[in-house]
Amino acid sequence: MSKYRTLAEKFGTPTYVYDLDVVAQARDQLFGLLPDGVELFYALKANPHPEIARELRAGGDRPCRAEISSTGELGNALAAGFAPEEILYTGPGKTDAELERAVAAGVRLFSVESASDLRHVGAAAVKHGVTASCLLRVNTTASNASSGIRMMGRPSQFGIDAETLPALMPELRAVPGTRLVGAHFFTMSNAQDEDGLLGEYEFVLHSAARLRDEVGLPLELLDIGGGFSSPYAVPGPRTDYPKLRAGLEVLLDLHLPEWRSGEVGLACESGRYLAGSCGSLLAGVVNVKESRGHRFVILDGGINVLGGLSGIGRLLPAAVDLDGVDDDDLRTGSLVGPLCTPGDSLAKAARMPELAPGDVVTVPNVGAYGVTASLIGFLGRPAPVEVVVRGEDVVSVSRLDYHRTYEVTP
Ligand SMILES: *Cc1c(COP(=O)(O)O)cnc(C)c1O
């Protein structure tokens, strides 16, 4: 029942398959939704697999840049071929050691989330005798979108409160080793509603223009965030935003007309839209049991391979690929993993064909927030195999490894 059946036979399960052709389609689709000249940062948080990041950088006429927030992601971005100057370093908890590694590797663009974060970046830069270009991440005073995950307008570990910037600017401008070059907004994620997304961008552009005019913040690079939505662990296409490009151009002309001359550089960022649709999880059926009238299909991978974020309240409604299954043959049941916790559930009432041990189910659209967003160490099973394909061709087969290394032996 799975188009990847032979890969499951060859490499076992649980296995992720990522199709680079789909990565390329997602990249080209998203660039097509944005005005010409808008850059796109790929958030490696979604999937740090170097092959996926490489495809986003190297294929197509408009290459993505990389957005990272750890030394591990730095290594993945460099392994994928990103030059240090193509990388933006973000995150609320950059340690001095991480910053020094990044600066030593040649990274010069940072998004800073507080005055002290900026000083830490500056200290690392001074140590290496260089200047770091910094975007101020702004926590806007309010936002007007009604859908998606809203990130701003409240107390937050992310960003500098916009209302404090007038008083703070002289101090921020004077931090040795740094140069303020722009602003970074990331106000929402996974916005299905196009009008909501445009409303959010209007607010962001308005806020950025005000900061430039009122506190003199330069806008050599204005990162207006993302919010582009893509299905997660359920079938369906990436969200289309037919009005986005024209709508964004109108808003830009209204609030920041200099964008057309390139005087204001613009960027968006995305993880799930670029990587989500390329990935499928193949899981093997270990057992099928009935309990008090309810069917449980027990798979060989659960929240240790997918959806560990359900631990923070994001319950998975995972669905299996029903391609070629007759409606009359559908059953309803829970999809659960092998872990000894009732939390190991991928779906409570999934539609599925009759399944038996040895069958393989496919969970679609899990190229983002899959393996590395899961509880891979929980209950000690190996990480899933990750197979990268381009159409029919297998490009690479790998598996993350974790093991204890002793720093001190008594
Ligand atoms: C997580 C994150 C992203 C990616 O979000 P998606 O919803 O996967 O597109 C982009 N930018 C920042 C700052 C993030 O924290």
Side-chain angles (χ1 to χ4, degrees):
M1 63 167 286
S2 167
K3 69 171 170 168
Y4 293 131
R5 173 97 225 179
T6 51
L7 293 178
E9 276 161 13
K10 201 159 171 190
F11 301 112
T13 52
T15 287
Y16 275 87
V17 183
Y18 311 122
D19 188 340
L20 296 180
D21 282 343
V22 181
V23 175
Q25 287 157 15
R27 178 202 57 222
D28 294 347
Q29 184 177 358
L30 188 47
F31 269 123
L33 295 175
L34 300 172
D36 286 343
V38 176
E39 295 200 88
L40 191 51
F41 285 98
Y42 172 53
L44 269 84
K45 175 179 73 183
N47 190 332
H49 198 300
E51 232 84 63
I52 291 176
R54 182 187 306 280
E55 183 68 24
L56 290 170
R57 175 182 183 271
D61 330 324
R62 290 168 76 181
C64 292
R65 298 174 68 181
E67 176 174 333
I68 61 167
S69 64
S70 70
T71 303
E73 288 185 350
L74 172 64
N76 285 313
L78 295 174
F82 284 96
E85 55 271 22
E86 294 166 343
I87 296 174
L88 166 64
Y89 205 112
T90 66
K94 310 174 195 76
T95 68
D96 292 335
E98 287 170 332
L99 287 169
E100 278 183 37
R101 295 275 282 276
V103 171
V107 178
R108 294 291 179 270
L109 183 61
F110 295 83
S111 165
V112 299
E113 314 245 7
S114 60
S116 41
D117 192 26
L118 179 64
R119 284 194 291 273
H120 288 150
V121 172
V126 166
K127 221 170 193 172
H128 287 84
V130 300
T131 303
S133 299
C134 294
L135 307 178
L136 297 183
R137 181 157 174 189
V138 181
N139 182 6
T140 50
T141 40
S143 78
N144 57 5
S146 54
S147 67
I149 306 169
R150 297 177 52 184
M151 319 267 305
M152 299 272 228
R154 291 178 286 236
S156 171
Q157 75 263 49
F158 299 111
I160 304 176
D161 298 339
E163 65 277 16
T164 67
L165 275 171
L168 209 52
M169 277 306 277
E171 180 187 336
L172 298 178
R173 272 208 195 83
V175 175
T178 68
R179 193 170 72 86
L180 303 184
V181 297
H184 176 201
F185 295 80
F186 186 67
T187 58
M188 69 188 310
S189 184
N190 211 17
Q192 264 128 353
D193 167 42
E194 185 165 39
D195 291 323
L197 190 60
L198 275 168
E200 198 66 28
Y201 286 147
E202 164 136 55
F203 185 74
V204 163
L205 293 173
H206 173 76
S207 305
R210 268 190 57 182
L211 285 173
R212 184 193 54 183
D213 298 343
E214 291 174 15
V215 306
L217 184 67
L219 292 180
E220 289 168 36
L221 180 59
L222 170 61
D223 181 343
I224 63 173
F228 315 110
S229 162
S230 186
Y232 181 51
V234 292
R238 295 178 294 273
T239 306
D240 194 15
Y241 298 97
K243 297 182 291 188
L244 183 63
R245 184 185 167 109
L248 196 48
E249 289 184 358
V250 168
L251 293 175
L252 284 164
D253 287 340
L254 187 65
H255 294 284
L256 290 168
E258 304 83 349
W259 80 280
R260 292 216 178 249
S261 66
E263 222 175 297
V264 171
L266 288 161
C268 286
E269 48 195 28
S270 173
R272 73 187 66 229
Y273 200 92
L274 292 168
S277 51
C278 80
S280 302
L281 172 63
L282 316 180
V285 176
V286 177
N287 208 351
V288 180
K289 65 170 271 193
E290 295 276 335
S291 169
R292 300 195 168 132
H294 194 83
R295 172 190 312 260
F296 288 85
V297 174
I298 300 160
L299 304 173
D300 55 14
I303 55 173
N304 55 326
V305 300
L306 176 67
L309 294 177
S310 50
I312 55 169
R314 293 187 193 170
L315 284 180
L316 273 179
V320 303
D321 197 338
L322 296 175
D323 247 10
V325 184
D326 210 70
D327 267 6
D328 294 341
D329 298 334
L330 285 178
R331 306 272 178 280
T332 300
S334 292
L335 284 175
V336 302
L339 309 185
C340 305
T341 162
D344 192 15
S345 168
L346 297 186
K348 296 272 184 236
R351 302 288 283 158
M352 59 184 84
E354 190 63 60
L355 290 168
D359 287 341
V360 173
V361 301
T362 305
V363 181
N365 288 321
V366 289
Y369 305 110
V371 182
T372 58
S374 302
L375 300 177
I376 56 170
F378 195 37
L379 278 112
R381 285 185 166 72
V385 176
E386 295 175 82
V387 182
V388 179
V389 300
R390 190 183 294 282
E392 302 288 310
D393 300 329
V394 173
V395 174
S396 79
V397 182
S398 65
R399 189 202 293 268
L400 282 174
D401 187 20
Y402 61 93
H403 58 276
R404 187 178 310 282
T405 48
Y406 283 88
E407 311 261 323
V408 175
T409 313

